[in-house]
Amino acid sequence: MTEEFSCDDFLGGRVRAFQPRRGYRAGVDPVLLAASIDARPGQSILELGCGVGVASLCLANRVPGVSVTGVEMQPVYAALAMLNAKENNAAFHVVEADLRKLPHELRQRRFDHVMMNPPYFDRTAGTKSKDTGRDVALGGDTPLADWLDIGIRRLGPRAYLSLIQRTERLPEVLAALDGRLGSIVVKPIAGREERAPELFLLRARQEGRAAFQMAPTLVMHEGATHQGDKESYTPLVTRILRSGAELPVTS
């Protein structure tokens, strides 16, 4: 690897991933998404927009025996995801493709879980980043409704769709799911106690019949304010980020 890339530890070093030093870099969010997937050995998972593969690799590490497929349209990120799959000896297959133009073999498959970390910002309402990788990851030109539609179409019977997204886009997500998926659970994510949630995790089910549920907020940091350079994650978040613990969405 050249100096353009770094090799970063996730789950306390249980997962290592090469990623660009500049541009979009995976951080905490894909780890939280992976931790929220209630998968079992033998199940199949599809990640749309997998980037360098951090979410998929964290899930594969936590639940041995799952089969994970990732779709990534940017060649550099797709190549890094393939490399990271080998480096971590993970059951993680990477497909380089635009999610709007999935290969025929993927369009014929259905999965037990579909997960995604779609771009957080509406491209039509923001300024394009000079870095292509960062721009596609944070904005891109695929509407959020298209991400959700494509994900829903890949779900098998009683399968789950999960995503992480910014709070202001929750109405947009719920509108796209209306009448198509049920048993929707939303888990807000706040930086600290008494702060408004900036993100949310959402899980919905094919053929789900349970009522909508707003789960308790996941608080990331202890204390009301940032105190120096020391790490301040709450005990649950520490277990998720450092030990690969599961994140129950409903509690």
Side-chain angles (χ1 to χ4, degrees):
M1 273 288 155
T2 69
E3 294 183 356
E4 297 177 60
F5 305 97
S6 65
C7 186
D8 301 299
D9 288 349
F10 297 87
L11 306 188
R14 291 163 55 182
V15 169
R16 306 196 73 204
F18 289 98
Q19 55 182 335
R21 291 186 182 277
R22 301 182 63 180
Y24 175 75
R25 290 173 55 80
V28 170
D29 297 357
V31 182
L32 295 177
L33 174 62
S36 75
I37 308 299
D38 185 18
R40 300 188 302 275
Q43 289 190 322
S44 60
I45 295 93
L46 172 67
E47 182 184 7
L48 297 177
C50 69
V52 301
V54 170
S56 289
L57 292 170
C58 287
L59 177 56
N61 182 275
R62 179 171 63 85
V63 189
V66 296
S67 173
V68 188
T69 299
V71 176
E72 174 55 47
M73 70 174 293
Q74 298 189 82
V76 171
Y77 287 82
L80 287 170
M82 294 175 192
L83 173 63
N84 291 333
K86 293 180 181 178
E87 292 290 323
N88 289 274
N89 194 28
F92 175 38
H93 174 63
V94 181
V95 177
E96 183 186 326
D98 187 324
L99 60 89
R100 295 166 296 184
K101 300 177 182 177
L102 294 177
H104 176 76
E105 59 270 22
L106 265 188
R107 286 187 278 114
Q108 300 305 306
R109 292 186 62 187
R110 297 293 183 270
F111 295 83
D112 298 301
H113 297 268
V114 173
M115 64 178 180
M116 61 181 76
N117 183 183
Y120 284 161
F121 302 100
D122 184 348
R123 167 54 55 240
T124 62
T127 302
K128 189 172 184 177
S129 171
K130 294 180 180 180
D131 184 275
T132 301
R134 182 175 177 82
D135 181 72
V136 172
L138 296 181
D141 61 359
T142 303
L144 182 54
D146 287 357
W147 280 77
L148 294 165
D149 176 67
I150 293 161
I152 291 169
R153 292 176 183 274
R154 301 278 66 77
L155 292 174
R158 306 289 291 168
Y160 291 95
L161 180 142
S162 299
L163 73 148
I164 188 169
Q165 184 55 250
R166 288 183 63 84
T167 302
E168 61 263 32
R169 305 197 77 177
L170 178 57
E172 191 178 349
V173 173
L174 294 176
L177 300 182
D178 187 36
R180 303 187 68 184
L181 299 182
S183 301
I184 296 172
V185 181
V186 174
K187 188 173 188 67
I189 302 172
R192 296 182 187 277
E193 289 278 6
E194 300 185 4
R195 288 193 184 180
E198 296 182 353
L199 301 174
F200 67 89
L201 286 160
L202 179 145
R203 186 178 70 195
R205 193 172 194 183
Q206 185 75 275
E207 305 170 29
R209 297 289 183 267
F212 175 88
Q213 180 180 351
M214 183 66 74
T217 298
L218 174 69
V219 177
M220 295 293 294
H221 296 276
E222 295 183 311
T225 60
H226 179 65
Q227 301 292 328
D229 293 331
K230 65 179 181 179
E231 192 170 276
S232 61
Y233 289 123
T234 61
L236 173 58
V237 173
T238 297
R239 292 195 299 273
I240 292 167
L241 299 182
R242 303 292 176 246
S243 304
E246 182 180 356
L247 170 56
V249 173
T250 56
S251 62

